[in-house]
Amino acid sequence: MAGHREPIVKRWQGNPILTKQDVPYPVETVHNAGAVKHRGKYIMLFRSHLCNGRSIIGLAESEDGFRFAVRSKPFLIPSQDEPFASYEEYGVEDPRICAMDGEYLITYSAYSRYGVRIGIAKTWNFEHVERVSLITEADHRNVVIFPQKFSGRYVRLDRPHSNIAPWSIWVSYSPDLVHWGDSKVAIKPMPYHWDEMKIGPGATPIKTEKGWLNIYHGVFKTMDGAVYRLGAALHDLQDPSKVLSVADEWILQPEDPWEVTGYVHNVVFCCGAVPEDDGTIKVYWGGADTVMCAGTARIEDIVDLCLSNPRPPLC
Ligand code: BMA
């Protein structure tokens, strides 16, 4: 028997795919990018720390999903207009992109003296971008919107902070992208497990035959700090608040030198994955909050991992 499992996510041999040297304006990091395919081209909206420690969002484009060129100007910087300006003064972070009805909804973390909340911006062409709404109070992060409505409502996964329970993944609904409610907990970290400290949604969910694939991050606290890994879960196709299965094992952990060492060591953090017609996906992740990396996986392999060796979603 082999001493290790075949990797589910195969790393691109040219990793890291994007670093601060590729950015034509001054930034210190390039990480945690949302990703989507738009008119045959791959788009990444990536986060960068500036030298003052606050973050902005840039745009990179690619023909093949691996070799990216960065636009000359940032894509999303803190808004000057209210009500957004007050809540974005410390920066905008960790964007996710959801293709919906011919537009792209971008959810991002908005940081300010009042905490962290989630904003939505939208674009149809990645040239113009406009703010839509601030959809949570403090403290929420990691919102992904399902790329389909359910009984006429938008559905999101998110991760509120709480001092009482470990930070879990929740689901909420909205008729209009402004008002959200009917919230329920969906997945909780599992005690003494690779994701025991906290979990949060990662990539925008991907529709598969067996359910919505949710690639999420899970964190384990060690004597040397936290380790961020990626895991996978399946949500019911008709009712995404219903979790069909959570894979017991992670699908990716920090291993390459630029994932193990950097601005924050031992981090792989996913904000986007792009499904392809041949049954594979390209998964994108930030390495050590410093660079962007990519890999490929067969969707069926991740789904099988969820179904063949699950752990309870709420334990
Ligand atoms: C999380 C977020 C992410 C970051 C990760 C590791 O709490 O801030 O943006 O990648 O920590 O530092």
Side-chain angles (χ1 to χ4, degrees), residues 251-308:
I251 60 168
L252 191 78
Q253 70 160 346
E255 279 173 19
D256 272 341
W258 44 84
E259 298 163 348
V260 169
T261 310
Y263 187 80
V264 181
H265 64 272
N266 284 323
V267 176
V268 292
F269 194 94
C270 176
C271 294
V274 175
E276 304 287 5
D277 292 339
D278 65 359
T280 63
I281 40 170
K282 291 187 174 62
V283 184
Y284 297 94
W285 63 91
D289 285 4
T290 307
V291 297
M292 275 309 297
C293 305
T296 53
R298 289 178 58 224
I299 293 176
E300 209 185 322
D301 289 347
I302 306 183
V303 169
D304 284 351
L305 189 78
C306 292
L307 294 172
S308 63

Side-chain angles (χ1 to χ4, degrees), residues 31-32 47 93-94 111 141 198 228 264 267 269 289:
H31 62 298
N32 297 4
R47 169 179 168 196
E93 305 188 358
D94 297 0
Y111 277 76
R141 274 204 295 239
K198 57 176 177 171
Y228 279 71
V264 181
V267 176
F269 194 94
D289 285 4

